[in-house]
Amino acid sequence: QQPVQSPQAVILREGEDAVINCSSSKALYSVHWYRQKHGEAPIFLMILLKGGEQKGHDKISASFNEKKQQSSLYLTASQLSYSGTYFCGTGPNTGNQFYFGTGTSLTVIP
Amino acid sequence: GAVVSQHPSRVICKSGTSVKIECRSLDFQATTMFWYRQFPKQSLMLMATSNEGSKATYEQGVEKDKFLINHASLTLSTLTVTSAHPEDSSFYICSARSPGGLFADTQYFGPGTRLTVL
């Protein structure tokens, strides 16, 4: 049930771009993206509800390919504050469950 | 925005004791709440889905008798770890699903509870 994310970890220099992918073996109803800092609860970034949908705010955006059961998170011109672990989250069409992906550790260095 | 509180934030207990963790949605009613467990450097693993007024739905491998969940009202769900053992030490996080609107399907997380069983 757990979506698989890639890469597992990435290190960037400030100002560089990154892409985090999320892939599910099950049909996706929606895709959520969260960022978690060490020792803290996850913080909601965005939700994509329809296949083909793209969203973004500031320099973080995401896309959702419903047919491929995939989503990608794009971080452009990364800032030090972007460091953390990113999780995608998905739920099925039926039922209430919600599963987090395997996680991607992102470290931005000066 | 929607706020979810969790109490306590940190608890240390002796092996064999029971620990209760509360999860409250402060400014909205949540018919569905989720309980997750997170071990160091791992993802959040869904333990159970808690529905107000009905029995919780547990994920495969999660012991119902050990992790008791009660969703007594639209704003409160509790997780009781019974007869806790050192292997139950973990970060427990609850979340509540928002009731509707633009972010109808968004989950809001509590700050988490760090459980250490000695």
Side-chain angles (χ1 to χ4, degrees):
Chain A
Q1 297 275 26
Q2 186 177 36
V4 177
Q5 289 180 232
S6 63
Q8 285 186 315
V10 58
I11 299 175
L12 301 172
R13 289 200 177 274
E14 212 172 352
E16 291 182 337
D17 302 340
V19 180
I20 300 173
N21 300 303
C22 173
S23 181
S24 173
S25 60
K26 303 273 186 179
L28 298 177
Y29 171 62
S30 62
V31 178
H32 308 220
W33 285 97
Y34 294 83
R35 176 171 61 211
Q36 185 181 31
K37 301 279 187 178
H38 180 68
E40 301 177 6
I43 299 297
F44 171 76
L45 294 176
M46 64 186 77
I47 178 175
L48 298 102
L49 296 174
K50 297 179 183 178
E53 185 175 15
Q54 295 192 35
K55 277 190 177 179
H57 62 86
D58 198 11
K59 294 175 182 175
I60 300 176
S61 62
S63 63
F64 176 24
N65 188 321
E66 189 177 16
K67 290 182 180 179
K68 291 186 178 180
Q69 299 169 188
Q70 294 175 344
S71 177
S72 295
L73 185 72
Y74 307 93
L75 299 99
T76 58
S78 58
Q79 305 169 17
L80 296 176
S81 61
Y82 287 2
S83 293
T85 302
Y86 289 79
F87 294 101
C88 63
T90 67
N93 275 347
T94 58
N96 262 328
Q97 297 93 335
F98 186 86
Y99 301 100
F100 281 91
T102 49
T104 297
S105 173
L106 184 96
T107 304
V108 181
I109 57 176
Chain B
V3 178
V4 175
S5 70
Q6 203 172 323
H7 178 80
S9 59
R10 188 177 293 268
V11 59
I12 300 172
C13 67
K14 292 183 179 180
S15 184
T17 60
S18 294
V19 175
K20 180 186 281 189
I21 303 170
E22 291 187 349
C23 178
R24 293 182 186 272
S25 56
L26 299 184
D27 50 3
F28 67 100
Q29 294 182 329
T31 54
T32 304
M33 290 184 172
F34 302 89
W35 287 96
Y36 295 88
R37 179 169 53 185
Q38 186 177 35
F39 293 106
K41 296 186 179 181
Q42 293 187 22
S43 183
L44 294 89
M45 300 306 295
L46 179 65
M47 298 176 66
T49 303
S50 172
N51 298 296
E52 187 268 337
S54 64
K55 292 182 179 180
T57 302
Y58 289 82
E59 293 298 300
Q60 195 171 11
V62 178
E63 299 175 58
K64 300 178 183 181
D65 295 332
K66 182 168 184 62
F67 299 99
L68 301 179
I69 291 173
N70 185 283
H71 196 153
S73 74
L74 288 171
T75 60
L76 174 64
S77 177
T78 59
L79 168 68
T80 302
V81 183
T82 62
S83 187
H85 292 286
E87 58 265 30
D88 298 324
S89 298
S90 187
F91 191 47
Y92 292 85
I93 307 176
C94 72
S95 70
R97 179 171 274 168
S98 65
L102 179 62
F103 297 109
D105 205 29
T106 300
Q107 291 192 71
Y108 293 94
F109 286 86
T113 297
R114 177 77 57 191
L115 172 64
T116 303
V117 185
L118 303 176

